Amino acid sequence: MGGIIALGSLAIQIIVPALPQLAEGIGATPAGGQLVISLYLIGLALGQLGWAPVADHHGRRPVLIGGLVVFLIGTLCCALAGDLATMLVGRAVQAIGASSSLVAGRAMATDTAPVGKAAAPLAILTSVTLISPALAPALGGAVTSIGGWRALFWILAGLTLIGGALALRMLPETRAGDRAPVHARRIATTYWQVLRQRGYLPLALSNALISGGFFTFLAASPFVLDAAGATPAQAGLFYSAVACAIIGGTLCVPLVLRRWPRGLKPAGSVALGSGAVVILIVAATGAHLAGLFVAMSLIAFGAGLTGPALLAEAIEQQRERASAATGLFGTMQMGGAALISTLAVRLAPDPAVELALIGVLVLLALGLRAWGSGREAR
């Protein structure tokens, strides 16, 4: 399941090194090439809203398998694209297909976990998915240099076929659904019920703020690293180390839950809070890159501990609407993070201010989570 979910992330990360060649190959401008990434992210965010009610009412497995078929069709369209319009259509279809596994996979993990224990399997799924951003850019660059940018989409198509075969053989249905008709009014009612659940909205917004901090880091850090004299190779190691810190945090979730069941939330909060304070100091003093590395490693590790716990906490009280709760959670995460980072870059073009904003966003996220948990307790 983790591998299938990772396909959606892989379709972003593996393309990044090949964007110039891809744009040239389809006769697009650099700005047009950027749409290949941005349109995919929009489709990935919005697609979850469409798949979620279907998975709740008609079962997880049909959504997962159907999404893989849609993803494969979009991937083949991209592989054969000769112009920007065809490429964008293929990327939109790809994103819609990939969003199904985010919804169905997380819902299946929640379905099969005992009540109150969903954070551990969700963390395992997250840790597998996060391997993609750590390895995919290097893989994409190597494949492009050998076989050209189209080879990337043929590799994605082959991996999709493997994922589909494994899903058909190994993944059973975890919730058959009620087979009731899915229509616009019922979808709207379901999402309204999800939002009304006590504590859900603060937790989802908290997750979006943490993700927004990471998007802002990705926008600001290249200029910070360049100004500090870091070479491209050193910058690559920096990002890989931060990605490993997130993976390490998610892998620690099951261990913490076994040995210290009530310690997951405070451990994640301490790591996030410490990282936020350090990055505020870095922004204020212009400290060495070592300070930025320590700050982002702490935030990344804390996010790895906290992300699965936030999702589990948000949906634990409404398992009958698990797919809708998961889909809306993911849409708010990706959409909110993209909006926050875009506003940060436009309104605060100074990298030092953007670094300070990361700390502010993380601290706001911790406050929102504490407030949401307090409301749920009352």
mmCIF file of all heavy atoms in Angstrom, residues 210-211 213-214 217 242 245-246 268 270-280 292-306 355 358-360 362-363:
data_model
loop_
_atom_site.group_PDB
_atom_site.id
_atom_site.type_symbol
_atom_site.label_atom_id
_atom_site.label_comp_id
_atom_site.label_asym_id
_atom_site.label_seq_id
_atom_site.Cartn_x
_atom_site.Cartn_y
_atom_site.Cartn_z
ATOM 1 N N ILE A 210 1.838 23.350 9.243
ATOM 2 C CA ILE A 210 3.152 22.690 9.256
ATOM 3 C C ILE A 210 3.618 22.429 7.825
ATOM 4 O O ILE A 210 4.780 22.691 7.473
ATOM 5 C CB ILE A 210 3.090 21.379 10.050
ATOM 6 C CG1 ILE A 210 2.799 21.661 11.530
ATOM 7 C CG2 ILE A 210 4.396 20.595 9.912
ATOM 8 C CD1 ILE A 210 2.527 20.420 12.354
ATOM 9 N N SER A 211 2.719 21.948 6.983
ATOM 10 C CA SER A 211 3.077 21.718 5.578
ATOM 11 C C SER A 211 3.400 23.029 4.883
ATOM 12 O O SER A 211 4.312 23.090 4.050
ATOM 13 C CB SER A 211 1.914 21.017 4.860
ATOM 14 O OG SER A 211 1.662 19.752 5.429
ATOM 15 N N GLY A 213 4.779 25.552 6.242
ATOM 16 C CA GLY A 213 6.139 25.875 6.652
ATOM 17 C C GLY A 213 7.176 25.163 5.800
ATOM 18 O O GLY A 213 8.195 25.750 5.410
ATOM 19 N N PHE A 214 6.907 23.895 5.466
ATOM 20 C CA PHE A 214 7.842 23.151 4.630
ATOM 21 C C PHE A 214 7.878 23.691 3.204
ATOM 22 O O PHE A 214 8.946 23.797 2.583
ATOM 23 C CB PHE A 214 7.482 21.661 4.621
ATOM 24 C CG PHE A 214 8.208 20.883 5.667
ATOM 25 C CD1 PHE A 214 7.584 20.516 6.845
ATOM 26 C CD2 PHE A 214 9.530 20.541 5.494
ATOM 27 C CE1 PHE A 214 8.259 19.816 7.820
ATOM 28 C CE2 PHE A 214 10.221 19.839 6.462
ATOM 29 C CZ PHE A 214 9.580 19.470 7.631
ATOM 30 N N PHE A 217 9.906 26.725 3.268
ATOM 31 C CA PHE A 217 11.321 26.361 3.349
ATOM 32 C C PHE A 217 11.879 26.002 1.973
ATOM 33 O O PHE A 217 12.972 26.436 1.594
ATOM 34 C CB PHE A 217 11.481 25.182 4.308
ATOM 35 C CG PHE A 217 12.800 24.470 4.207
ATOM 36 C CD1 PHE A 217 13.982 25.087 4.617
ATOM 37 C CD2 PHE A 217 12.866 23.185 3.699
ATOM 38 C CE1 PHE A 217 15.197 24.432 4.515
ATOM 39 C CE2 PHE A 217 14.076 22.525 3.596
ATOM 40 C CZ PHE A 217 15.242 23.149 4.010
ATOM 41 N N VAL A 242 17.304 16.368 5.440
ATOM 42 C CA VAL A 242 16.031 16.817 6.014
ATOM 43 C C VAL A 242 14.933 15.800 5.714
ATOM 44 O O VAL A 242 14.109 15.480 6.580
ATOM 45 C CB VAL A 242 15.659 18.216 5.475
ATOM 46 C CG1 VAL A 242 14.246 18.602 5.904
ATOM 47 C CG2 VAL A 242 16.660 19.251 5.975
ATOM 48 N N ALA A 245 15.180 12.980 8.013
ATOM 49 C CA ALA A 245 14.688 13.305 9.352
ATOM 50 C C ALA A 245 13.175 13.095 9.440
ATOM 51 O O ALA A 245 12.669 12.606 10.454
ATOM 52 C CB ALA A 245 15.049 14.749 9.706
ATOM 53 N N ILE A 246 12.450 13.452 8.373
ATOM 54 C CA ILE A 246 10.997 13.208 8.367
ATOM 55 C C ILE A 246 10.725 11.709 8.410
ATOM 56 O O ILE A 246 9.883 11.236 9.177
ATOM 57 C CB ILE A 246 10.332 13.819 7.118
ATOM 58 C CG1 ILE A 246 10.681 15.288 6.978
ATOM 59 C CG2 ILE A 246 8.819 13.634 7.176
ATOM 60 C CD1 ILE A 246 10.105 15.933 5.727
ATOM 61 N N GLY A 268 6.394 14.958 19.685
ATOM 62 C CA GLY A 268 6.316 15.715 18.439
ATOM 63 C C GLY A 268 6.277 17.210 18.681
ATOM 64 O O GLY A 268 6.913 17.992 17.958
ATOM 65 N N VAL A 270 7.531 18.890 21.258
ATOM 66 C CA VAL A 270 8.840 19.362 21.712
ATOM 67 C C VAL A 270 9.788 19.537 20.521
ATOM 68 O O VAL A 270 10.498 20.550 20.407
ATOM 69 C CB VAL A 270 9.435 18.398 22.748
ATOM 70 C CG1 VAL A 270 10.918 18.705 22.996
ATOM 71 C CG2 VAL A 270 8.665 18.487 24.061
ATOM 72 N N ALA A 271 9.806 18.551 19.615
ATOM 73 C CA ALA A 271 10.688 18.639 18.447
ATOM 74 C C ALA A 271 10.294 19.816 17.554
ATOM 75 O O ALA A 271 11.152 20.597 17.114
ATOM 76 C CB ALA A 271 10.647 17.331 17.660
ATOM 77 N N LEU A 272 8.997 19.951 17.278
ATOM 78 C CA LEU A 272 8.531 21.055 16.435
ATOM 79 C C LEU A 272 8.805 22.407 17.093
ATOM 80 O O LEU A 272 9.291 23.347 16.449
ATOM 81 C CB LEU A 272 7.039 20.902 16.153
ATOM 82 C CG LEU A 272 6.631 19.834 15.149
ATOM 83 C CD1 LEU A 272 5.118 19.628 15.179
ATOM 84 C CD2 LEU A 272 7.071 20.221 13.740
ATOM 85 N N GLY A 273 8.468 22.519 18.381
ATOM 86 C CA GLY A 273 8.677 23.777 19.084
ATOM 87 C C GLY A 273 10.144 24.167 19.155
ATOM 88 O O GLY A 273 10.500 25.339 18.954
ATOM 89 N N SER A 274 11.009 23.190 19.432
ATOM 90 C CA SER A 274 12.446 23.469 19.491
ATOM 91 C C SER A 274 12.963 23.931 18.135
ATOM 92 O O SER A 274 13.737 24.899 18.041
ATOM 93 C CB SER A 274 13.212 22.225 19.943
ATOM 94 O OG SER A 274 12.775 21.794 21.211
ATOM 95 N N GLY A 275 12.536 23.243 17.073
ATOM 96 C CA GLY A 275 12.959 23.644 15.736
ATOM 97 C C GLY A 275 12.466 25.030 15.372
ATOM 98 O O GLY A 275 13.183 25.814 14.734
ATOM 99 N N ALA A 276 11.240 25.362 15.778
ATOM 100 C CA ALA A 276 10.693 26.691 15.485
ATOM 101 C C ALA A 276 11.503 27.780 16.178
ATOM 102 O O ALA A 276 11.803 28.833 15.584
ATOM 103 C CB ALA A 276 9.228 26.758 15.918
ATOM 104 N N VAL A 277 11.875 27.547 17.430
ATOM 105 C CA VAL A 277 12.671 28.536 18.170
ATOM 106 C C VAL A 277 14.046 28.711 17.529
ATOM 107 O O VAL A 277 14.539 29.837 17.345
ATOM 108 C CB VAL A 277 12.812 28.116 19.646
ATOM 109 C CG1 VAL A 277 13.814 29.017 20.370
ATOM 110 C CG2 VAL A 277 11.458 28.173 20.343
ATOM 111 N N VAL A 278 14.676 27.597 17.148
ATOM 112 C CA VAL A 278 16.008 27.668 16.537
ATOM 113 C C VAL A 278 15.957 28.411 15.212
ATOM 114 O O VAL A 278 16.831 29.245 14.919
ATOM 115 C CB VAL A 278 16.594 26.251 16.350
ATOM 116 C CG1 VAL A 278 17.908 26.319 15.565
ATOM 117 C CG2 VAL A 278 16.828 25.588 17.689
ATOM 118 N N ILE A 279 14.935 28.151 14.391
ATOM 119 C CA ILE A 279 14.898 28.816 13.087
ATOM 120 C C ILE A 279 14.582 30.307 13.236
ATOM 121 O O ILE A 279 15.028 31.134 12.440
ATOM 122 C CB ILE A 279 13.901 28.126 12.141
ATOM 123 C CG1 ILE A 279 14.277 28.437 10.690
ATOM 124 C CG2 ILE A 279 12.456 28.553 12.402
ATOM 125 C CD1 ILE A 279 13.569 27.595 9.661
ATOM 126 N N LEU A 280 13.855 30.689 14.284
ATOM 127 C CA LEU A 280 13.646 32.111 14.553
ATOM 128 C C LEU A 280 14.971 32.776 14.937
ATOM 129 O O LEU A 280 15.253 33.915 14.528
ATOM 130 C CB LEU A 280 12.618 32.293 15.672
ATOM 131 C CG LEU A 280 11.151 32.022 15.297
ATOM 132 C CD1 LEU A 280 10.271 32.028 16.542
ATOM 133 C CD2 LEU A 280 10.649 33.052 14.288
ATOM 134 N N LEU A 292 20.593 26.385 10.526
ATOM 135 C CA LEU A 292 19.412 26.100 9.705
ATOM 136 C C LEU A 292 19.195 24.590 9.589
ATOM 137 O O LEU A 292 18.055 24.112 9.648
ATOM 138 C CB LEU A 292 19.582 26.713 8.315
ATOM 139 C CG LEU A 292 18.433 26.500 7.328
ATOM 140 C CD1 LEU A 292 17.134 27.090 7.863
ATOM 141 C CD2 LEU A 292 18.768 27.092 5.964
ATOM 142 N N PHE A 293 20.288 23.855 9.471
ATOM 143 C CA PHE A 293 20.168 22.400 9.369
ATOM 144 C C PHE A 293 19.591 21.802 10.649
ATOM 145 O O PHE A 293 18.704 20.946 10.612
ATOM 146 C CB PHE A 293 21.534 21.780 9.076
ATOM 147 C CG PHE A 293 21.517 20.277 9.060
ATOM 148 C CD1 PHE A 293 20.950 19.589 8.004
ATOM 149 C CD2 PHE A 293 22.046 19.546 10.113
ATOM 150 C CE1 PHE A 293 20.915 18.199 7.981
ATOM 151 C CE2 PHE A 293 22.018 18.171 10.110
ATOM 152 C CZ PHE A 293 21.457 17.494 9.037
ATOM 153 N N VAL A 294 20.077 22.265 11.791
ATOM 154 C CA VAL A 294 19.554 21.776 13.076
ATOM 155 C C VAL A 294 18.075 22.106 13.199
ATOM 156 O O VAL A 294 17.249 21.265 13.591
ATOM 157 C CB VAL A 294 20.345 22.388 14.248
ATOM 158 C CG1 VAL A 294 19.659 22.084 15.568
ATOM 159 C CG2 VAL A 294 21.772 21.844 14.260
ATOM 160 N N ALA A 295 17.707 23.346 12.845
ATOM 161 C CA ALA A 295 16.310 23.779 12.964
ATOM 162 C C ALA A 295 15.399 22.933 12.094
ATOM 163 O O ALA A 295 14.372 22.411 12.555
ATOM 164 C CB ALA A 295 16.192 25.254 12.594
ATOM 165 N N MET A 296 15.751 22.768 10.819
ATOM 166 C CA MET A 296 14.874 22.045 9.906
ATOM 167 C C MET A 296 14.863 20.550 10.199
ATOM 168 O O MET A 296 13.851 19.883 9.975
ATOM 169 C CB MET A 296 15.280 22.299 8.454
ATOM 170 C CG MET A 296 14.955 23.691 7.952
ATOM 171 S SD MET A 296 13.241 24.221 8.292
ATOM 172 C CE MET A 296 12.294 22.910 7.473
ATOM 173 N N SER A 297 15.967 20.023 10.726
ATOM 174 C CA SER A 297 15.972 18.604 11.101
ATOM 175 C C SER A 297 15.024 18.361 12.273
ATOM 176 O O SER A 297 14.290 17.363 12.298
ATOM 177 C CB SER A 297 17.393 18.153 11.463
ATOM 178 O OG SER A 297 18.242 18.214 10.342
ATOM 179 N N LEU A 298 15.023 19.288 13.245
ATOM 180 C CA LEU A 298 14.099 19.162 14.371
ATOM 181 C C LEU A 298 12.652 19.283 13.906
ATOM 182 O O LEU A 298 11.788 18.493 14.318
ATOM 183 C CB LEU A 298 14.411 20.238 15.418
ATOM 184 C CG LEU A 298 15.644 20.015 16.300
ATOM 185 C CD1 LEU A 298 15.970 21.278 17.086
ATOM 186 C CD2 LEU A 298 15.408 18.843 17.249
ATOM 187 N N ILE A 299 12.383 20.271 13.057
ATOM 188 C CA ILE A 299 11.014 20.454 12.548
ATOM 189 C C ILE A 299 10.600 19.241 11.731
ATOM 190 O O ILE A 299 9.461 18.752 11.843
ATOM 191 C CB ILE A 299 10.919 21.742 11.726
ATOM 192 C CG1 ILE A 299 11.088 22.968 12.638
ATOM 193 C CG2 ILE A 299 9.582 21.825 10.990
ATOM 194 C CD1 ILE A 299 11.141 24.292 11.900
ATOM 195 N N ALA A 300 11.512 18.742 10.894
ATOM 196 C CA ALA A 300 11.192 17.589 10.055
ATOM 197 C C ALA A 300 10.913 16.351 10.912
ATOM 198 O O ALA A 300 9.936 15.626 10.673
ATOM 199 C CB ALA A 300 12.335 17.313 9.087
ATOM 200 N N PHE A 301 11.759 16.113 11.904
ATOM 201 C CA PHE A 301 11.547 14.962 12.782
ATOM 202 C C PHE A 301 10.227 15.101 13.536
ATOM 203 O O PHE A 301 9.451 14.138 13.649
ATOM 204 C CB PHE A 301 12.707 14.840 13.766
ATOM 205 C CG PHE A 301 12.645 13.616 14.639
ATOM 206 C CD1 PHE A 301 13.009 12.377 14.143
ATOM 207 C CD2 PHE A 301 12.212 13.703 15.952
ATOM 208 C CE1 PHE A 301 12.943 11.242 14.943
ATOM 209 C CE2 PHE A 301 12.148 12.581 16.758
ATOM 210 C CZ PHE A 301 12.511 11.339 16.255
ATOM 211 N N GLY A 302 9.948 16.306 14.037
ATOM 212 C CA GLY A 302 8.687 16.536 14.732
ATOM 213 C C GLY A 302 7.483 16.376 13.822
ATOM 214 O O GLY A 302 6.450 15.842 14.231
ATOM 215 N N ALA A 303 7.619 16.820 12.564
ATOM 216 C CA ALA A 303 6.517 16.656 11.613
ATOM 217 C C ALA A 303 6.270 15.187 11.312
ATOM 218 O O ALA A 303 5.124 14.757 11.141
ATOM 219 C CB ALA A 303 6.827 17.418 10.321
ATOM 220 N N GLY A 304 7.357 14.397 11.244
ATOM 221 C CA GLY A 304 7.194 12.961 11.034
ATOM 222 C C GLY A 304 6.462 12.292 12.174
ATOM 223 O O GLY A 304 5.649 11.386 11.965
ATOM 224 N N LEU A 305 6.741 12.726 13.400
ATOM 225 C CA LEU A 305 6.027 12.206 14.563
ATOM 226 C C LEU A 305 4.578 12.688 14.604
ATOM 227 O O LEU A 305 3.672 11.957 15.009
ATOM 228 C CB LEU A 305 6.719 12.651 15.851
ATOM 229 C CG LEU A 305 8.043 11.981 16.238
ATOM 230 C CD1 LEU A 305 8.650 12.709 17.425
ATOM 231 C CD2 LEU A 305 7.836 10.506 16.567
ATOM 232 N N THR A 306 4.352 13.923 14.172
ATOM 233 C CA THR A 306 3.066 14.577 14.381
ATOM 234 C C THR A 306 2.066 14.341 13.267
ATOM 235 O O THR A 306 0.869 14.195 13.532
ATOM 236 C CB THR A 306 3.287 16.103 14.546
ATOM 237 O OG1 THR A 306 4.182 16.326 15.639
ATOM 238 C CG2 THR A 306 1.988 16.831 14.807
ATOM 239 N N LEU A 355 12.262 32.604 6.462
ATOM 240 C CA LEU A 355 12.706 31.632 7.469
ATOM 241 C C LEU A 355 12.011 31.881 8.801
ATOM 242 O O LEU A 355 11.578 30.934 9.477
ATOM 243 C CB LEU A 355 14.220 31.698 7.639
ATOM 244 C CG LEU A 355 15.086 31.219 6.475
ATOM 245 C CD1 LEU A 355 16.561 31.346 6.828
ATOM 246 C CD2 LEU A 355 14.760 29.783 6.090
ATOM 247 N N ILE A 358 8.540 30.505 8.853
ATOM 248 C CA ILE A 358 8.445 29.067 9.090
ATOM 249 C C ILE A 358 8.252 28.793 10.579
ATOM 250 O O ILE A 358 7.393 28.005 10.988
ATOM 251 C CB ILE A 358 9.705 28.348 8.572
ATOM 252 C CG1 ILE A 358 9.812 28.489 7.051
ATOM 253 C CG2 ILE A 358 9.677 26.862 8.965
ATOM 254 C CD1 ILE A 358 11.136 27.997 6.488
ATOM 255 N N GLY A 359 9.068 29.450 11.403
ATOM 256 C CA GLY A 359 8.938 29.268 12.847
ATOM 257 C C GLY A 359 7.595 29.712 13.367
ATOM 258 O O GLY A 359 6.977 29.038 14.202
ATOM 259 N N VAL A 360 7.095 30.842 12.852
ATOM 260 C CA VAL A 360 5.793 31.342 13.273
ATOM 261 C C VAL A 360 4.688 30.359 12.899
ATOM 262 O O VAL A 360 3.782 30.074 13.700
ATOM 263 C CB VAL A 360 5.525 32.728 12.653
ATOM 264 C CG1 VAL A 360 4.097 33.176 12.935
ATOM 265 C CG2 VAL A 360 6.516 33.747 13.192
ATOM 266 N N VAL A 362 4.888 27.105 12.446
ATOM 267 C CA VAL A 362 4.964 25.897 13.274
ATOM 268 C C VAL A 362 4.399 26.174 14.667
ATOM 269 O O VAL A 362 3.645 25.355 15.222
ATOM 270 C CB VAL A 362 6.415 25.390 13.353
ATOM 271 C CG1 VAL A 362 6.540 24.272 14.389
ATOM 272 C CG2 VAL A 362 6.878 24.889 11.988
ATOM 273 N N LEU A 363 4.735 27.305 15.238
ATOM 274 C CA LEU A 363 4.206 27.640 16.568
ATOM 275 C C LEU A 363 2.692 27.832 16.527
ATOM 276 O O LEU A 363 1.979 27.406 17.452
ATOM 277 C CB LEU A 363 4.886 28.905 17.090
ATOM 278 C CG LEU A 363 6.381 28.765 17.424
ATOM 279 C CD1 LEU A 363 6.966 30.110 17.840
ATOM 280 C CD2 LEU A 363 6.610 27.720 18.512
#
